[in-house]
Amino acid sequence: MPKVSACYKAEQRHNLVRAAGRRITDVGFRKLVMLDVVEESGMSSGGIYGYFASKEELVAAVIEDVMGQLEVLLRRALMSSPRPTVHGLFGALLREVEVHEQSGIRVSQLAIHIWAEATQDEQLRTLVKDSLDTARTLVGDVVRRAQEDGIVDRTAAPDAVADTLLGFFMGHVVQRCVLDVGRPAAISPACALDRQDDGVSRARD
């Protein structure tokens, strides 16, 4: 029997994580059972246990995957051209999320499930906190640049401003999933933020 390559194993593991993520968006963490993943992935239960020893281990992998996706999207937004301002950063981030979700990966809904479960699970809370700490550092760097440019009050604590901006983004994700599922939004959130940014720019001028 030919030896299975490491690349094939990594791909299969990735597919299982994404399959579990799709089911979690439908049933939540608590109701997820391994049979759901069997049906979603098309892999046998024995095959799944060859990659993950338990449901808990698989769920932890889903969480790391989702939080990693959000970090990648944030980094893409930060690297967009022209370089985003503090006011335009989340317009850029929301655009990245929207494009990402067009591929069928409902990262917003998964994030809500994760945040909710983190209130009950200490280990999960630690994973989420670590991810948010990374995001705070990235956004804080944008705030510091804005302070150097005279756009943001130099006396403001960059991490506190970053926390506020991240809270805005998380709140929007919840609002979007709760209010916009099944109906088109009246106006694109990213567009609304861009308009707000224009208003702030005019006010500064």
Side-chain angles (χ1 to χ4, degrees):
M1 180 180 294
K3 184 179 292 185
V4 177
S5 69
C7 182
Y8 175 82
K9 287 182 177 180
E11 182 179 357
Q12 287 293 90
R13 185 182 188 280
H14 175 77
N15 289 339
L16 284 173
V17 169
R18 291 295 170 87
R22 290 193 295 272
R23 280 304 174 100
I24 288 170
T25 60
D26 294 329
V27 303
F29 283 101
R30 301 292 176 98
K31 293 182 179 180
L32 179 73
V33 295
M34 293 303 263
L35 180 59
D36 291 327
V37 186
V38 169
E39 294 174 350
E40 186 69 29
S41 67
M43 185 181 291
S44 69
S45 58
I48 293 174
Y49 281 111
Y51 290 91
F52 299 99
S54 65
K55 169 190 164 181
E56 289 72 23
E57 189 175 307
L58 175 57
V59 165
V62 172
I63 293 163
E64 290 178 0
D65 179 59
V66 172
M67 302 311 288
Q69 288 179 65
L70 290 173
E71 181 180 332
V72 168
L73 295 177
L74 176 56
R75 289 183 182 277
R76 284 182 187 169
L78 290 169
M79 291 188 295
S80 60
S81 181
R83 189 176 73 180
T85 63
V86 171
H87 304 93
L89 172 60
F90 284 97
L93 178 55
L94 292 173
R95 280 191 292 271
E96 290 290 348
V97 170
E98 288 169 356
V99 169
H100 191 60
E101 292 192 337
Q102 287 173 5
S103 67
I105 303 171
R106 294 178 288 177
V107 67
S108 294
Q109 288 174 297
L110 266 172
I112 291 176
H113 281 292
I114 290 170
W115 296 335
E117 193 68 15
T119 65
Q120 305 293 323
D121 187 310
E122 188 63 36
Q123 184 177 1
L124 176 51
R125 185 181 299 121
T126 299
L127 289 173
V128 172
K129 181 181 181 300
D130 288 346
S131 177
L132 290 177
D133 284 344
T134 298
R136 180 187 296 110
T137 299
L138 293 172
V139 176
D141 289 342
V142 176
V143 174
R144 289 182 184 89
R145 289 202 302 265
Q147 288 176 316
E148 292 170 1
D149 295 339
I151 298 172
V152 173
D153 187 344
R154 293 175 186 270
T155 64
D159 286 346
V161 176
D163 283 339
T164 300
L165 293 172
L166 287 171
F168 172 84
F169 171 70
M170 294 169 76
H172 170 76
V173 168
V174 173
Q175 184 182 53
R176 177 184 179 188
C177 290
V178 172
L179 299 181
D180 290 344
V181 170
R183 67 175 177 82
I187 183 170
S188 165
C191 178
L193 282 176
D194 287 342
R195 292 182 181 182
Q196 178 183 349
D197 190 27
D198 291 341
V200 172
S201 299
R202 287 195 297 272
R204 286 201 304 268
D205 297 338

